[in-house]
Amino acid sequence: MSSRASAKAVSNLMRMVGSSCSCPAHSNIFSPSCTTHRHASAATPRPEYAFEMATSTIRVGKGATREIGMDLSNLKAKRVMIFTDPNIAKLPPLQTVIESIERSKVGYTVYKDVRVEPSDKSFQHAIDAARRYMPDAFVAVGGGSTIDTAKAANLYTVFGDAHLLDFVNVPLGKGRPVDRVLLPLIAVPTTAGTGSECTGAAIFDLKDKKAKTGIADRALKPLLGIIDPLNTRTMPKQVRLASGLDVLCHAIESYTAVPYYLRGEAPANPLLRPAYQGSNPISDIWSSKALQMVAKALPRSIADPDDIEAQEAMTLAAAYAGIGFGNGGVHLMHGCSYGISGLNTSYYHPDYVSDHPLCPHGISVAVTSPAVVEFTGSMYPERHLEIARILGADTTNAKLEDAGAILGDALRGFLRDLGVPDGISAFGYTSSDIGALVESILPQHRVLKLSPRQTGAEQLAWILERSLKNY
């Protein structure tokens, strides 16, 4: 074929694509000549049109933890920093990790000072330790607090001159994007809940602002998450409960979040597309499956500590929900929880060994879930009714306008049967605290903007008032 013929063929093909394909890359919907939309280079920004799916490599299997030494050796690691908390430091999961690393003759140190429900101070302490040791790989053995702390240590070791707030979510921090490759992080979860082994989020209490916040960037996600059911066998009942409720709420919120294409403007650069993008077709699959698994397995796991099948199902459900919300995001249950746990000054949850007042994350998230779905139920009511059916509600003759109330009642029954504390009043809050709680929740832009309904101070106050007592 001559060059002229070849050029003509390409030209014809481009015209065919342009006339038949309606995707933003090929259509003229965003061209300068269009009166509704504009090209990305024009003054008027275009709405979001794409979503991304990012997650860690996941390895699942009983005894898979014993492979971690070989993983680190394969990475050519020579100075590994292992993160854990004082409780896990005494238990078999950490010992299994250390034995495996020693068999592979990889150098390591252990940081045992992770704070359950981390604070800015505990994050900084871990960051300083990592900067002194200068590891070439990280390992996190523990729950979400440990994995999140290791993520932060990794980030600020690579960015050695950065201040803690540089990467923290706006408006409490600067929201700087992560534009360098981080060091390898292998996460070994010992709870079945946070899904942190699959996500790029790291959450902590910012004490001087009396608010919970965090860092959210795909670059933070672990290179590998090892989901070994043997590592969750030592969880006390209340830890199983709190972590399991976190899975439940991750799945509900991701599934009911504003769709990605309604979230707002498309970023000028894909590096700036947020990790939490809104509900999307891929996240929906993982979140829906996680909901089905939690509805069956969590009550069994709480009722019988020897129900290994249920506990193993919860470890998978946690990862499934982690993949779902790690890309779709969470919204009002988590947004409210940050204020509830952040302002807690007197409540200590049973089964948790802590030297400070502690309302476990999963508990603080779940207690507002009935009121939240009552508020959001008018948006995407079919999804709210679907969740209610999964939780056992009879929706045969249900009206769409009743979706929020039906799901709210289903959640109240589910939480009551599990023995969840009766609303935020169980933590010592009263109506007089609502204003302070709202003020601490409002800065959570990262999650509040994913609510399917517009949410401000008045709406948050309504949710919190409804959540003082649930039963």
Side-chain angles (χ1 to χ4, degrees), residues 232-233 235-237 240 296-312 314 418:
T232 64
R233 299 283 172 85
M235 278 194 298
K237 177 180 178 179
R240 293 199 306 275
K296 295 177 181 178
L298 183 56
R300 288 173 50 189
S301 173
I302 300 305
D304 182 3
D306 296 321
D307 190 337
I308 304 304
E309 182 182 59
Q311 290 188 34
E312 291 180 359
M314 287 302 301
L418 290 172

Side-chain angles (χ1 to χ4, degrees), residues 245-312:
L245 291 172
D246 201 18
V247 182
L248 173 71
C249 294
H250 284 156
I252 293 174
E253 291 173 89
S254 174
Y255 200 56
T256 59
V258 65
Y260 73 93
Y261 52 84
L262 295 179
R263 188 190 70 247
E265 299 172 5
N269 185 315
L271 179 67
L272 303 177
R273 181 167 283 115
Y276 289 0
Q277 302 162 87
S279 61
N280 60 78
I282 301 180
S283 287
D284 288 350
I285 293 171
W286 293 98
S287 297
S288 176
K289 180 61 176 178
L291 278 168
Q292 297 168 42
M293 296 172 73
V294 172
K296 295 177 181 178
L298 183 56
R300 288 173 50 189
S301 173
I302 300 305
D304 182 3
D306 296 321
D307 190 337
I308 304 304
E309 182 182 59
Q311 290 188 34
E312 291 180 359

